[in-house]
Each structure stands twice: as structure tokens, then as C-alpha cells.
Amino acid sequence: MSLSMKEAIYTRHTVRQYKKKAIPQPILDKLSKRIEQVNQTYNTKISLKCDQKDGLFLPLRYVIAKNATNYMILASDDRIRADENIGEASADLMLYAQTLGLNTWWIGGTWNHKKVKTQAQADHVIGILVFGYGETSGKPHPSKNSREVSLYEGKEPDWFRKGVDAALLAPTALNKQNFFLQGKGDEVSIHTKEAAFSLADQGIVRYFFELGAGKDNFKWIY
């Protein structure tokens, strides 16, 4: 029985080593269709690359990576909110891949920029999302607690707590979880500390929070 997107939040973990196992074409077709949908939704230009055996990583990554030959290029036109939208789109895709029985690895640095950017469909490329059948399912990353990353004014509703719990399971740069969620009534805002990938992190966390809280329960305040 396949996972729902919400269930995938709790089973998804970063995986860096993969089996030499081909991904069936029907699965790739589903991924391609999903990419088309998120590109329309978030105005991104993410693309799919499979069986790329050489030159993907800088030397450091080869120490910890294994059989990471399939990836999505996380790209967009260079515009306002581009990184945040790429974050939201990539969050959707990593969880969708999980529902298909695949594992993922969001990489913001140490990939071969020259190789990947020549394959991209837009000039603004911030990372890659590796996917495949992991040698393991990964393990949970160290996490802050909800009080460190959130504050609700008044009695905290159940939907806000569930949203924060989901947000804490989102991957962020260097697992720093440099975000803060604030709620009041049905309004929620998110802030991230300025750093590399902070806007992409914000998009990823927003997506996880929405799935956990339920979109109909609140609205974002910018």
C-alpha cells in the first residue's frame, strides 16, 4: 500500500548511498508528470536526469555518495521568490518520490556546477535532488524542539502544533533548522536566519508545515 504525501513526511530521511537498481519507466513517467505539475504551480524549471554516471560531484561528495546517478535539477528563472519557490517545489517532489518507494538527497553544494548547469533549463540553479532506491531508508536527523522554532499567541490549536511537528521533519541546510514560525488566530508567518539556502529552506519548511497543519486551517502572512 502506497504512502500518502502526509505520511511520507514521517518516513522520508536523507539517503546518500543507493543500490544499482534501475527505476522502472512507469515510476519515471510519474515523476516526470509531477515535475511538470510543480513547475506550473511554482513557476520553476526543474528537470529530470537519469543514469548520469560521471562527473556529478566534486571529490568530497564521492567519499559519502554511492550510485547517486539519478537527480532533478532545481532551477528557475532568476526572479523574486525564486529560491523559496524552488524549495516548495522540491519539497513536493521529495515527498512524492517517497510515496513511490524512492529515497532522496537534497544537495545544495559540492555538485559539479559546470556539468549540471549545462543540463539545466534555466540559468538560476541552486541544487539537485538525487533519488533512487537507497541501500537503507536513512535515519532521522537531530532536531530542535517545537518551543525553539515556534510561538503561538494564545491557546495553541492542534493544527498549529501538527504543522510545527511536520516542519521539524523538513530537511534544511546543514540540518540547522534556522527557521521560526509564529501564529496568531488563523495567521502564520515564517522567518529564517539569513544564510546560504535560507530562502530555499523557508520554502521547504512552508510546504511541510502546510501538509502537517492542513492548508484550510490557516493563511500565510508575509
Side-chain angles (χ1 to χ4, degrees):
M1 188 167 128
S2 62
L3 295 171
S4 68
M5 289 287 282
K6 190 171 181 177
E7 288 170 335
I9 290 175
Y10 303 96
T11 61
R12 183 222 64 87
H13 307 296
T14 295
V15 172
R16 297 179 176 88
Q17 298 190 338
Y18 295 84
K19 298 175 181 177
K20 285 186 177 180
K21 180 179 177 181
I23 300 173
Q25 191 59 47
I27 298 294
L28 293 176
D29 290 343
K30 288 180 179 180
L31 280 177
S32 295
K33 185 175 180 179
R34 189 75 172 199
I35 289 171
E36 290 179 9
Q37 292 171 346
V38 299
N39 280 339
Q40 291 179 358
T41 300
Y42 298 105
N43 192 23
T44 50
K45 292 188 175 179
I46 296 171
S47 54
L48 185 72
K49 300 296 174 184
C50 294
D51 203 26
Q52 303 287 307
K53 290 185 171 59
D54 299 310
L56 176 58
F57 298 121
L58 300 184
L60 177 63
R61 279 297 185 209
Y62 281 113
V63 175
I64 58 175
K66 180 180 177 183
N67 299 323
T69 60
N70 307 301
Y71 56 92
M72 304 174 206
I73 302 174
L74 305 178
S76 169
D77 292 328
D78 194 2
R79 56 178 174 77
I80 295 174
R81 293 193 66 196
D83 286 18
E84 185 177 349
N85 290 155
I86 291 172
E88 291 172 301
S90 63
D92 181 285
L93 291 168
M94 72 175 76
L95 292 177
Y96 183 68
Q98 191 76 22
T99 71
L100 298 177
L102 300 171
N103 303 104
T104 55
W105 177 17
W106 205 110
I107 309 175
T110 64
W111 43 275
N112 187 328
H113 288 229
K114 183 176 181 180
K115 174 184 174 68
V116 172
K117 286 185 175 181
T118 59
Q119 299 175 324
Q121 297 179 354
D123 292 334
H124 187 62
V125 181
I126 67 169
I128 57 175
L129 181 64
V130 172
F131 65 94
Y133 295 104
E135 288 198 340
T136 71
S137 297
K139 59 183 180 180
H141 58 252
S143 180
K144 295 179 179 179
N145 62 55
S146 60
R147 292 181 181 179
E148 294 177 282
V149 300
S150 68
L151 177 67
Y152 189 87
E153 187 174 328
K155 185 179 179 182
E156 182 183 79
D158 188 54
W159 62 262
F160 186 81
R161 179 185 57 78
K162 288 180 177 178
V164 173
D165 288 345
L168 284 168
L169 295 173
T172 56
L174 302 177
N175 288 328
K176 287 189 174 181
Q177 297 181 312
N178 284 331
F179 64 86
F180 197 82
L181 292 151
Q182 290 182 276
K184 180 181 179 180
D186 66 348
E187 297 179 347
V188 179
S189 62
I190 181 173
H191 307 279
T192 50
K193 293 181 181 178
E194 189 173 344
F197 305 106
S198 59
L199 293 177
D201 282 352
Q202 189 171 132
I204 293 170
V205 172
R206 278 168 56 91
Y207 191 94
F208 274 63
F209 182 90
E210 287 177 0
L211 268 184
K215 279 187 174 184
D216 295 338
N217 290 318
F218 75 100
K219 57 187 176 184
W220 289 109
I221 301 299
Y222 294 94

